[in-house]
Amino acid sequence: SAPAVSFVSIAIRAILGRHCIVDISASSPPFVPQVIAHSGWIFSWFLALMIHYMYIQARHSYDHHRTQVGKMSFTKEPVIVAAAYITAIEATATDLLGWVPLAYRCVGQYLPPASQASSIPLDNIDGKYTCIFFCGNFGILLINSSWINIDGGKKALDMLEKMVNITMMRGAQSGGAVTFEPAHYGSNIDSDVPILKGVRSRVVNAKRTDLSKGVRRKLEADNNTWSGNLRGWDKDEFNSNSSGKRLVRGFFGHTRFATSSMATMDGTHPHQWSKRKSHRVYAFQSPSASHLAPKPQLMGVENFITHNGDFEFYKVNGEYHDTEAIQDWLTRTLHEPMPCTVDSAAIAGMIDLLKCQGCFALSARYALCFSRSLSFNFG
């Protein structure tokens, strides 16, 4: 039944993923989020105290029956008690004190943490909201040009460094970010679809170094001028100009804890499978180009991804294929060698294959790869 399936899903997430997702109906009383949020740490402390009591009783019984090995119990092991208390402390830090980024999300609306949820009338909320934990992805969009032209982007990089410092709590072995800038300054101002290029900066952390400072230094080395300002900070492309158009600078990154592979540079995010290539692209997706007659524009195409999780299989033409088969398939379809063996890199390859809007050559490749009659063979 549905309740049984829901309970199993919650149990699996709690045991394997150390988190749970609970959907709360909009008609629920306002105290429900608090009850759910606080029940976890209260139960954890109850369980820890109960295991500690069982440990004391087991040790006392074992001391009086040393010859009766059969009476020994796992509860006499101190490591069990330590694990129970660690779990309780962790639950207190996250669910009670909110030391881990925690938010409640509603469809189309942001809600504050559970400690403030009672102040929000649920009658005004359409749908459900869900408790979610953030991952190692981070990013910043400098929509206001003042973030760049006042101090050359130093304050923006300060904020980015702080973001990396926070996401280091879920992984600090390596990290990186990518940004986009004009391929050639001075030639994009009057263009309806500016030609951009990606600049990727990645760092593998040393034993006793701060990853956030390492990523900051690498970003500055790759994107700053000799004066220490972000490249293009005083250019028309990123500031108000006579054309009435300007670009928005952004940085998108990820910090990593290698769970199934070594922390190496090629396994560090952001990932890219295919190198930048020039294609003729119709700018259908650009609102600023909607008034133009359809015509292709030669531009560089490249994709970067940051990803948290596992990529274990993909469904092609009704059949599921594991990561190794997908990696081999991507090598043959994209005509690019596999950049590294981590599964996230294969996601970058799939984005190269799937993202084809407006380009005849990329769309034709997509059709060939996913057509049942013309699809490339696996194996």
Side-chain angles (χ1 to χ4, degrees):
S1 62
V5 173
S6 178
F7 177 79
V8 171
S9 300
I10 292 176
I12 292 175
R13 288 193 182 102
I15 295 173
L16 301 181
R18 300 175 67 194
H19 76 285
C20 64
I21 299 176
V22 180
D23 291 331
I24 304 174
S25 173
S27 60
S28 300
F31 59 82
V32 171
Q34 290 189 358
V35 172
I36 295 175
H38 294 307
S39 61
W41 70 268
I42 293 174
F43 176 77
S44 296
W45 277 107
F46 173 77
L47 185 63
L49 293 173
M50 184 177 67
I51 291 177
H52 195 174
Y53 174 77
M54 294 173 63
Y55 166 77
I56 295 174
Q57 294 299 315
R59 290 297 306 180
H60 179 75
S61 175
Y62 177 68
D63 290 340
H64 286 75
H65 305 86
R66 290 181 181 274
T67 58
Q68 300 182 23
V69 180
K71 291 183 177 292
M72 293 175 61
S73 169
F74 77 94
T75 54
K76 83 173 191 62
E77 298 295 335
V79 67
I80 302 297
V81 181
Y85 277 116
I86 290 174
T87 302
I89 293 172
E90 185 182 63
T92 303
T94 57
D95 298 344
L96 179 62
L97 302 179
W99 288 354
V100 171
L102 177 67
Y104 285 90
R105 181 181 64 185
C106 176
V107 177
Q109 182 175 357
Y110 170 79
L111 296 181
S115 59
Q116 305 174 24
S118 59
S119 63
I120 298 178
L122 289 178
D123 294 339
N124 296 334
I125 298 174
D126 183 18
K128 301 177 180 179
Y129 56 95
T130 304
C131 173
I132 59 172
F133 286 93
F134 293 94
C135 59
N137 297 289
F138 61 89
I140 182 172
L141 286 173
L142 308 178
I143 297 176
N144 192 321
S145 60
S146 296
W147 280 99
I148 295 180
N149 57 33
I150 289 181
D151 63 355
K154 294 181 177 63
K155 286 288 194 302
L157 290 180
D158 288 343
M159 182 176 293
L160 199 69
E161 181 182 343
K162 186 61 177 178
M163 289 181 179
V164 178
N165 183 264
I166 292 174
T167 58
M168 282 168 54
M169 71 174 62
R170 57 85 52 208
Q173 292 179 331
S174 63
V178 64
T179 185
F180 292 88
E181 64 174 353
H184 303 285
Y185 283 97
S187 61
N188 291 272
I189 300 176
D190 297 323
S191 174
D192 290 288
V193 184
I195 308 301
L196 305 178
K197 66 175 182 179
V199 181
R200 178 173 56 166
S201 305
R202 298 187 293 175
V203 173
V204 176
N205 203 19
K207 186 175 183 180
R208 292 183 177 87
T209 57
D210 188 332
L211 180 63
S212 63
K213 297 186 181 302
V215 172
R216 167 73 177 266
R217 286 193 295 268
K218 182 60 174 171
L219 283 169
E220 290 176 337
D222 293 340
N223 297 279
N224 283 16
T225 63
W226 62 270
S227 61
N229 299 320
L230 282 175
R231 195 164 44 245
W233 73 280
D234 57 347
K235 301 295 185 181
D236 289 339
E237 281 83 354
F238 291 109
N239 295 278
S240 299
N241 54 69
S242 58
S243 69
K245 305 172 185 177
R246 67 176 181 86
L247 300 175
V248 174
R249 193 68 178 262
F251 294 88
F252 318 94
H254 180 274
T255 58
R256 179 175 185 246
F257 179 82
T259 54
S260 59
S261 61
M262 296 179 63
T264 58
M265 182 63 74
D266 61 357
T268 302
H269 300 238
H271 285 293
Q272 181 185 39
W273 187 293
S274 300
K275 296 181 177 63
R276 177 185 174 89
K277 293 186 178 72
S278 294
H279 289 282
R280 293 191 175 276
V281 179
Y282 289 86
F284 295 130
Q285 72 278 14
S286 175
S288 62
S290 60
H291 65 284
L292 299 176
K295 64 178 181 178
Q297 181 177 349
L298 188 66
M299 62 176 60
V301 176
E302 57 183 336
N303 298 300
F304 298 89
I305 68 105
T306 64
H307 169 251
N308 182 61
D310 298 313
F311 182 48
E312 297 178 343
F313 54 85
Y314 194 81
K315 188 177 182 180
V316 180
N317 295 333
E319 297 183 1
Y320 288 96
H321 303 274
D322 62 21
T323 306
E324 291 185 2
I326 292 295
Q327 289 170 332
D328 178 67
W329 182 57
L330 289 171
T331 301
R332 290 183 283 119
T333 56
L334 299 176
H335 300 286
E336 292 276 359
M338 181 169 58
C340 62
T341 58
V342 298
D343 56 349
S344 293
I347 298 179
M350 290 304 303
I351 295 298
D352 290 338
L353 194 58
L354 297 172
K355 195 171 185 296
C356 59
Q357 182 182 13
C359 180
F360 178 81
L362 298 181
S363 299
R365 182 179 67 183
Y366 174 91
L368 287 171
C369 291
F370 290 95
S371 170
R372 286 187 178 274
S373 59
L374 300 174
S375 179
F376 290 86
N377 293 325
F378 284 86

